[in-house]
Amino acid sequence: MPRPRQPRLTRQLIVESATALIDAEGLPAFSTRRLAAELGVRGPSLYNHFATKDEILDAVADTVTGAVDTSGFASRDWLAALRDWAWSYRRALTAHPNIVPYLAQGPGRRPAALAMADAVYGGLVRAGWPPARATHIGAALRYFVAGSALGSFARGFVEDPELYAAHYPHLRQAHRLAEHQQSVDEGAFALGLDALLHGLAAEYTRTVDPVESARPTG
Amino acid sequence: MPRPRQPRLTRQLIVESATALIDAEGLPAFSTRRLAAELGVRGPSLYNHFATKDEILDAVADTVTGAVDTSGFASRDWLAALRDWAWSYRRALTAHPNIVPYLAQGPGRRPAALAMADAVYGGLVRAGWPPARATHIGAALRYFVAGSALGSFARGFVEDPELYAAHYPHLRQAHRLAEHQQSVDEGAFALGLDALLHGLAAEYTRTVDPVESARPTG
DNA sequence: GAATGAAAACTTACACCGCTAGTTTAGGAA
DNA sequence: TTCCTAAACTAGCGGTGTAAGTTTTCATTC
């Protein structure tokens, strides 16, 4: 088959198909030949649209990151904006957990990831946090969100009661974690995020703006 | 070469060499042939000692996890124990960052990982936290530590001033993050951990043991 | 001491991988 | 009509995990 009348591939089609493949079968199953087969094409044809496999992964990762909402930093106080952002970030990542290990390496040159970092950092600095502190806060929240999306905590435990009964006395119920996966993972995230933000609010009051924070109406 | 007088491979030798290879060149460079070559042997010989490549990775991961100190849960109050554990956990992971994406999938059937989970959960329950809460706290801290070790936040930004200058006004200094990598990453971890623990301590006072917590000497 | 069986290396081979090179043909522009 | 580019193709390189079968050594048993 030489060049068809209607191109069979576009960057968008490739990214969508790649996302679906990664979601369905995981990063290891994502190969250029496999992806091409899903698109009714041979492996090397993809290289007419992307230079490398990593470039496809970058596009997938940035599409995922693009779904994160950072608008709160423009409209709300920094604490509420952080909370909204963290939840949106988590939702975006848990919708495509298999790409998280790739995406979590950092923004690299991906536009959506850089725009997100820009919005968060800018919002924190505007709120009065010293630049170094703003960097730390953004990093700490990214740590927490990425870690929470990297793999389900609950599903990390094998469903094998005998495994735990023998040697790990406190984990007797661990094999049942998978049943309540979503509630365990979301509960842990909610608890951790609340604790983190609580601590940050205290730090803000202590170091950034004691007077402003003390006032009843921000 | 048939069977030598002295076996050239042992499980320990293989794990040590695999760890060194992963540390030096990353997970993608870790192949059975490559590892075998480092050991002066052909690829398939490894299968006399491990059933699969993943079994080798499990052994590496569990060796890394084995370096985490959870002794605080037996000797100190829960808050200090959590702090010590988190730092020890982080040190263990950042000493071998390339294995983190694999290890962070959960404890699976790895003994050291299960022992760690057991110690943390047991310690929190003993301190009075309700079981569900203890699970959440352990998970939240694992999220944070794993996320922080998954990849350097600082090195996630490309060292290319022009990239940021054009479109990301707040990231003008981002290309310099790599220079201060360790201080950025550790600072973010310290800040986030303190905030998290601060929030947990407040929650403890509110819900678990208001009286005990209010006393001056624990 | 001979025979036996397991252990630990080997070679060969399969199906897959990312990617390069060169080929073919359709479409659009001069 | 001619030519260039785009977008598919086939062929192939060097790599991957691992299964299968082979060879030799060592430890054990008769």
Side-chain angles (χ1 to χ4, degrees), chain A residues 113-165:
Chain A
L114 289 165
M116 184 176 84
D118 192 66
V120 173
Y121 179 79
L124 292 172
V125 169
R126 212 177 313 117
W129 284 100
R133 245 20 192 167
T135 302
H136 290 166
I137 294 171
L141 272 144
R142 210 216 55 180
Y143 293 163
F144 183 65
V145 172
S148 85
L150 186 56
S152 162
F153 178 84
R155 263 185 299 134
F157 290 84
V158 171
E159 291 187 65
D160 176 359
E162 294 177 25
L163 171 66
Y164 306 108

Side-chain angles (χ1 to χ4, degrees), chain B residues 85-167:
Chain B
W85 166 59
W87 274 108
S88 172
Y89 196 4
R90 176 182 155 83
R91 275 194 302 274
L93 298 197
T94 51
H96 308 278
N98 293 333
I99 192 73
V100 172
Y102 185 84
L103 178 152
Q105 300 292 111
R109 299 178 167 279
R110 298 195 301 273
L114 288 165
M116 183 177 84
D118 193 67
V120 174
Y121 178 79
L124 292 173
V125 169
R126 213 178 311 116
W129 284 101
R133 243 24 190 163
T135 303
H136 289 166
I137 292 171
L141 272 144
R142 211 214 56 181
Y143 292 163
F144 184 64
V145 173
S148 86
L150 188 57
S152 162
F153 178 83
R155 263 185 300 133
F157 289 84
V158 171
E159 291 187 64
D160 177 358
E162 294 177 26
L163 172 65
Y164 306 108
H167 296 292

Side-chain angles (χ1 to χ4, degrees), chain B residues 129-209:
Chain B
W129 284 101
R133 243 24 190 163
T135 303
H136 289 166
I137 292 171
L141 272 144
R142 211 214 56 181
Y143 292 163
F144 184 64
V145 173
S148 86
L150 188 57
S152 162
F153 178 83
R155 263 185 300 133
F157 289 84
V158 171
E159 291 187 64
D160 177 358
E162 294 177 26
L163 172 65
Y164 306 108
H167 296 292
Y168 310 103
H170 301 112
L171 300 182
R172 247 189 302 269
Q173 301 299 317
H175 65 282
R176 297 179 53 200
L177 280 172
E179 296 169 25
H180 312 93
Q181 187 218 318
Q182 195 181 338
S183 114
V184 170
D185 289 335
E186 279 203 10
F189 184 80
L191 173 83
L193 182 62
D194 287 350
L196 245 169
L197 296 179
H198 183 106
L200 290 178
E203 167 97 358
Y204 189 81
T205 302
R206 206 178 319 124
T207 68
V208 178
D209 196 347

Side-chain angles (χ1 to χ4, degrees), chain B residues 9 11 14 43-51:
Chain B
L9 300 178
R11 285 179 67 98
I14 292 172
S45 299
L46 298 170
Y47 290 83
N48 289 313
H49 303 268
F50 288 93

